[in-house]
Amino acid sequence: MNFDFDIDTIALDLGLDFMFPELILILLAVSFVSLFLLITVYRHFITTVFRKSLRDKANEDEPFDRQLPSVSVVVYATPDCQGLAETLNAILEQDYPAEFDVTVVNDGQSDDVKDIVNLIHNTHKNLYITFVPDDAHSLSRRKLAMTLGIKGARHDCVVFTNAGVQIESKRWLELMVRPYAEGKEVVIGYCALDHYTRLSSMQAFDRVATSAAYLGSAINGSPYRANNNNLVISKKTFLANNGFSRSLNLHGGDDDIFISEICNKHNTAVVLASEAILYFSPNNPGKYHRHDKKSHIFTGRRIFKSGNLMMSFGSWLRFIGLSTGIAAAILGLPSLIPAIWVAITFVITATIMSVAWGKSAMAIGEELSPLSVPLNSIFRPLYNFYYSIVSFRTSRQNYTWN
């Protein structure tokens, strides 16, 4: 019985040839380097919010050694808003050691809003109300409401939020105002979708990716956007900038164009402590997301967005890594070695990035399925391109004269 066998022949039969042309080796190298940069440089950026939340969480129970200022809280309320009473009670019951007052800006002089405010005013004398006239046209009502609120504010430290937001901690106000007490003029907080609100898989990923981009950029010293449901602004800074004067012809821009004008790495802070995050539930989550995305794509054309550059960098790394890896696997046939190497690399990369995105979502209180990350991250550039076209076609709707 002859047991002689040729290792090279068996390897070839199994598709395990280890000898490859130079082109395949180059493609494998490019794929590996691209995916390595993806899980190092790019991952480091998108987990910026996670690391910031850990620092804020570690510091939120530490004694604060500075005197907190008096504060004016401005609450924007529309006639169809729900949860106004709950929002006001949560604000008025804050454990804040200094003086604060609350002003509701009633958009449209709704009787329901006035009745709620008047009822609560019976037990909280630091609650006030003003209104946006019904006949105010050809301007952004949200901007007008914020302007009225901040001009009527009794204190320089002004906190903006919205009727219907859910405030889950009595320390929210203190945590948001701490950076102001340390000399900051703008404090960017976050307002997440509540745990019962559901978006499509792509919409949920897009929301987390967008938030990670602008929050991460602000944390790194290049702020260009904020969430006006959870925002602290110095009244002096607002007035010195002439408010929203540079974007009065637009419905949007109050949370990106305006922020990019007044914010810099020296005067702005981000707060991501778990007790400082607010939650809200739009009546139609999908419609809300579509409108918000179109609006920010339109206004975003007027500002420099460093966070989006990093997101584009990640998209290109992903595209190059995938395309060169697949090309190497195909050209390497009938040998299976390139395909096996590429498959293992892809799986490891997808796992690492899914965990990273999951941590970022958790840090800002958003819901995100890790299993949805690989495909959504691949197709998000096409998703953004589609909305860029839609935003361009509907651009007239962004102007206040329409």
Side-chain angles (χ1 to χ4, degrees):
M1 186 177 293
N2 187 1
F3 291 97
D4 292 338
F5 56 88
D6 187 341
I7 296 295
D8 292 336
T9 301
I10 294 176
L12 287 173
D13 291 340
L14 295 177
L16 300 178
D17 183 11
F18 288 88
M19 301 300 293
F20 310 113
E22 184 177 344
L23 175 61
I24 295 177
L25 295 176
I26 292 174
L27 289 173
L28 288 174
V30 171
S31 178
F32 176 79
V33 171
S34 298
L35 296 178
F36 179 76
L37 291 175
L38 190 72
I39 63 176
T40 53
V41 178
Y42 180 67
R43 183 184 64 84
H44 183 78
F45 175 76
I46 67 171
T47 55
T48 300
V49 293
F50 174 69
R51 297 192 302 275
K52 171 63 173 172
S53 72
L54 291 181
R55 295 195 299 270
D56 286 356
K57 185 175 182 179
N59 294 330
E60 65 185 0
D61 292 327
E62 295 294 324
F64 190 66
D65 58 1
R66 302 201 183 191
Q67 182 178 358
L68 290 167
S70 299
V71 173
S72 292
V73 182
V74 176
V75 181
Y76 177 61
T78 56
D80 60 344
C81 70
Q82 299 178 355
L84 173 60
E86 290 80 1
T87 299
L88 292 179
N89 285 323
I91 296 173
L92 293 163
E93 294 170 3
Q94 288 289 297
D95 290 335
Y96 191 71
E99 177 186 358
F100 74 95
D101 56 65
V102 181
T103 298
V104 175
V105 183
N106 184 2
D107 187 353
Q109 305 183 60
S110 165
D111 289 334
D112 291 338
V113 171
K114 287 189 286 187
D115 290 343
I116 291 172
V117 173
N118 290 334
L119 180 62
I120 299 177
H121 179 74
N122 292 331
T123 53
H124 295 87
K125 300 305 180 183
N126 58 336
L127 175 63
Y128 306 93
I129 187 170
T130 186
F131 64 90
V132 177
D134 283 326
D135 56 357
H137 300 294
S138 297
L139 46 78
S140 165
R141 298 185 68 84
R142 173 86 193 202
K143 290 178 188 172
L144 178 57
M146 293 179 71
T147 302
L148 292 173
I150 202 167
K151 285 188 174 181
R154 294 160 179 79
H155 309 291
D156 183 67
C157 181
V158 182
V159 181
F160 286 105
T161 189
N162 201 65
V165 300
Q166 302 163 24
I167 304 173
E168 299 186 348
S169 171
K170 291 188 176 183
R171 299 187 59 213
W172 160 69
L173 192 57
E174 175 201 342
L175 293 171
M176 286 298 298
V177 173
R178 279 186 179 186
Y180 177 92
E182 295 173 330
K184 300 299 183 181
E185 299 170 13
V186 180
V187 184
I188 299 173
Y190 192 72
C191 187
L193 294 177
D194 72 17
H195 303 301
Y196 301 100
T197 300
R198 291 290 179 266
L199 295 172
S200 71
S201 175
M202 176 57 83
Q203 288 173 336
F205 178 77
D206 180 67
R207 179 175 173 82
V208 173
T210 299
S211 300
Y214 80 78
L215 289 172
S217 184
I219 294 167
N220 290 329
S222 301
Y224 63 86
R225 180 172 163 180
N227 190 313
N228 54 31
N229 285 341
N230 196 5
L231 179 65
V232 180
I233 297 179
S234 163
K235 181 177 180 178
K236 292 179 182 178
T237 301
F238 180 90
L239 297 177
N241 187 71
N242 294 319
F244 304 111
S245 59
R246 294 172 181 81
S247 59
L248 285 178
N249 62 328
L250 302 176
H251 287 296
D254 48 293
D255 59 355
D256 50 13
I257 296 177
F258 173 69
I259 290 298
S260 67
E261 291 171 352
I262 68 171
C263 291
N264 57 60
K265 64 181 180 180
H266 303 294
N267 71 352
T268 303
V270 177
V271 173
L272 293 179
S274 56
E275 292 189 80
I277 292 178
L278 305 184
Y279 295 86
F280 78 113
S281 179
N283 293 329
N284 187 327
K287 182 179 180 180
Y288 168 83
H289 179 82
R290 292 190 293 271
H291 177 271
D292 185 66
K293 187 165 183 67
K294 288 189 294 183
S295 174
H296 280 106
I297 287 177
F298 179 81
T299 54
R301 295 170 185 152
R302 301 176 175 227
I303 59 179
F304 173 74
K305 301 171 288 184
S306 58
N308 280 18
L309 292 179
M310 182 56 74
M311 288 297 171
S312 297
F313 175 67
S315 296
W316 277 108
L317 287 177
R318 191 179 299 107
F319 172 75
I320 294 172
L322 290 174
S323 58
T324 54
I326 293 172
I330 295 174
L331 293 175
L333 294 174
S335 175
L336 298 179
I337 295 299
I340 293 173
W341 170 257
V342 168
I344 293 174
T345 306
F346 285 2
V347 169
I348 292 175
T349 301
T351 302
I352 292 174
M353 294 307 300
S354 294
V355 171
W357 280 114
K359 288 181 176 180
S360 298
M362 178 183 65
I364 55 177
E366 298 283 3
E367 299 284 342
L368 183 65
S369 171
L371 296 177
S372 68
V373 169
L375 279 180
N376 286 334
S377 61
I378 292 172
F379 289 106
R380 185 169 181 258
L382 295 176
Y383 184 76
N384 287 335
F385 179 69
Y386 166 77
Y387 270 97
S388 295
I389 296 175
V390 172
S391 176
F392 177 78
R393 293 179 60 184
T394 59
S395 59
R396 288 179 59 85
Q397 298 175 7
N398 292 280
Y399 292 97
T400 55
W401 55 71
N402 288 308

